[in-house]
Amino acid sequence: MAEAAGSGGVVKHLVLARFKEEATPGALDQLIRRYAGLVDAVPSMKTFHWGTDVTVLDTHEGFTHVFESTFESAEGVKEYIAHPSHVEFVDEFLALAEKMLIMDYKQAATN
């Protein structure tokens, strides 16, 4: 069985989201731009990517968006979570989100 990397190393931060019906396309666009802007505001956040669900199977459980951020370490994720720019952004995100799932992971080696 594959094992995850040790305590050091790159960490991916995933957020799956379903937004409220009243969240307009304009509001979502602005929210995503703010999310992407955290790369410049939070030193430990190295990359940001996002997309919408294209699953052909009905397995998405209503989640429509996925957001992925990269950090150099688990400590970097902790710094991101506590950073004032992130804390402020979370309030905006939660105002539009109906449901979300968050997971941090390290890529596992497959030998």
Side-chain angles (χ1 to χ4, degrees):
M1 180 176 211
E3 284 189 38
S7 60
V10 171
V11 174
K12 299 285 188 172
H13 177 75
L14 296 179
V15 178
L16 278 66
R18 175 174 61 220
F19 292 101
K20 297 174 183 174
E21 285 187 32
E22 61 266 21
T24 66
L28 290 177
D29 183 59
Q30 184 177 16
L31 184 74
I32 292 166
R33 288 176 190 272
R34 286 261 300 123
Y35 204 158
L38 290 176
V39 172
D40 295 325
V42 182
S44 64
M45 186 178 183
K46 301 304 177 189
T47 66
F48 172 79
H49 303 281
W50 74 278
T52 56
D53 177 57
V54 294
T55 306
V56 295
L57 301 173
D58 190 19
T59 58
H60 53 75
E61 296 189 25
F63 291 105
T64 57
H65 291 70
V66 61
F67 305 97
E68 178 190 76
S69 304
T70 304
F71 298 86
E72 290 179 352
S73 66
E75 186 61 37
V77 176
K78 290 179 187 175
E79 292 169 9
Y80 162 76
I81 290 169
H83 194 281
S85 294
H86 174 258
V87 171
E88 181 180 315
F89 172 75
V90 166
D91 289 339
E92 295 172 34
F93 192 95
L94 292 176
L96 295 177
E98 181 177 311
K99 184 177 182 181
M100 63 184 176
L101 173 66
I102 300 172
M103 179 179 272
D104 297 333
Y105 74 96
K106 293 181 184 183
Q107 291 181 330
T110 52
N111 320 15

